[in-house]
Amino acid sequence: MSQDDAKRRAAEAALAYVHEGDTIGVGTGSTVNHFIDLLDQKGPRIEAAVSSSEASTKRLRACGIKVRDLNQAGALDLYVDGADEADPHLRLIKGGGGALTREKIVAEASRRFVCIVDASKCVRVLGDFPLPVEVIPMARSMIARKLVGMGGQPKLREDCTTDNGNVILDVTGLRLTDPVAVEQEINQWPGVVCVGLFARRGADLLIVGSASGVETRQAAS
């Protein structure tokens, strides 16, 4: 089974958490693309979606799914999104697709966050995948120096401007044994818009697709 097939399995399993007439949050990325397509093909028919990116908005509308602004929608019952890494506590690295800030906003506005991944995204400790940090352009060099001071190696993501008009630094070399503390520290630096650690508010459920089937995980105590 291909990695893409495993992603599709996880995305299909997430449909069980969607109810007719819901307004749900929808994330960004290749696994979420499967979810959007399957939602269109198999239902249930939702009232609307709150999207975390322009790319997902375009795909939702192409499927005939109404997209609503979060300010109009209010609190959401469910958010479905993927991840670049997930640890046993369901803390995540996200932002490989560049939508980390809007993803974190929609996740925060949702009562339940269902994360859909293929098995390759599951790790014991976060940090092999470069940690994205969205930064206001004028603060790029200052933030890069601070990240170096933490032991990281930041690199500007080439040809990338976020939907918010900012840049992304991808940081390698950080072993994230305490991702909550790292998330809190980086987020307080002036010039940082968002860090792609979803640790303080991780996933509530992790749906993992693989060749052997689908596994649903809850956070380790």
Side-chain angles (χ1 to χ4, degrees):
M1 169 176 280
S2 70
Q3 185 179 26
D4 196 59
D5 289 335
K7 292 178 180 181
R8 185 178 177 86
R9 277 188 169 181
E12 186 166 8
L15 294 178
Y17 298 91
V18 183
H19 302 105
E20 196 85 15
D22 279 352
T23 297
I24 66 171
V26 176
T28 300
S30 57
T31 312
V32 171
N33 287 344
H34 283 302
F35 174 76
I36 294 170
D37 294 345
L38 288 162
L39 189 62
D40 177 43
Q41 295 161 16
K42 300 186 175 186
R45 304 308 302 177
I46 63 172
E47 171 66 25
V50 173
S51 170
S52 69
S53 69
E54 298 301 326
S56 288
T57 295
K58 183 177 180 180
R59 196 177 194 96
L60 286 160
R61 286 178 172 158
C63 290
I65 298 171
K66 184 189 302 182
V67 178
R68 185 170 291 168
D69 182 85
L70 181 60
N71 292 313
Q72 298 172 334
L76 304 171
D77 289 322
L78 179 69
Y79 178 53
V80 179
D81 201 358
D84 299 300
E85 283 188 344
D87 75 7
H89 300 275
L90 275 54
R91 301 173 299 198
L92 314 170
I93 286 181
K94 292 175 49 56
L100 57 154
T101 298
R102 296 190 186 189
E103 288 171 346
K104 190 170 281 192
I105 290 169
V106 182
E108 186 70 22
S110 302
R111 296 183 181 91
R112 196 177 205 190
F113 177 9
V114 174
C115 185
I116 49 177
V117 297
D118 66 272
S120 71
K121 305 299 193 299
C122 298
V123 298
R124 288 177 59 85
V125 178
L126 300 175
D128 286 341
F129 189 89
L131 177 64
V133 182
E134 183 171 348
V135 177
I136 293 172
M138 71 172 291
R140 184 194 70 207
S141 294
M142 177 187 74
I143 299 302
R145 290 192 295 272
K146 286 180 173 290
L147 290 165
V148 169
M150 291 182 71
Q153 300 168 21
K155 182 179 180 181
L156 179 67
R157 190 178 298 185
E158 296 291 340
D159 302 317
C160 175
T161 301
T162 71
D163 289 343
N164 308 310
N166 299 310
V167 298
I168 291 179
L169 297 171
D170 290 309
V171 190
T172 56
L174 296 176
R175 184 167 174 80
L176 300 170
T177 55
D178 189 352
V180 174
V182 174
E183 179 182 12
Q184 290 174 338
E185 179 174 356
I186 294 175
N187 270 338
Q188 72 181 353
W189 295 343
V192 170
V193 178
C194 187
V195 58
L197 275 169
F198 287 56
R200 182 193 61 82
R201 172 69 162 97
D204 297 300
L205 289 177
L206 184 70
I207 300 177
V208 184
S210 68
S212 59
V214 174
E215 178 187 358
T216 300
R217 304 178 184 177
Q218 295 188 357
S221 57

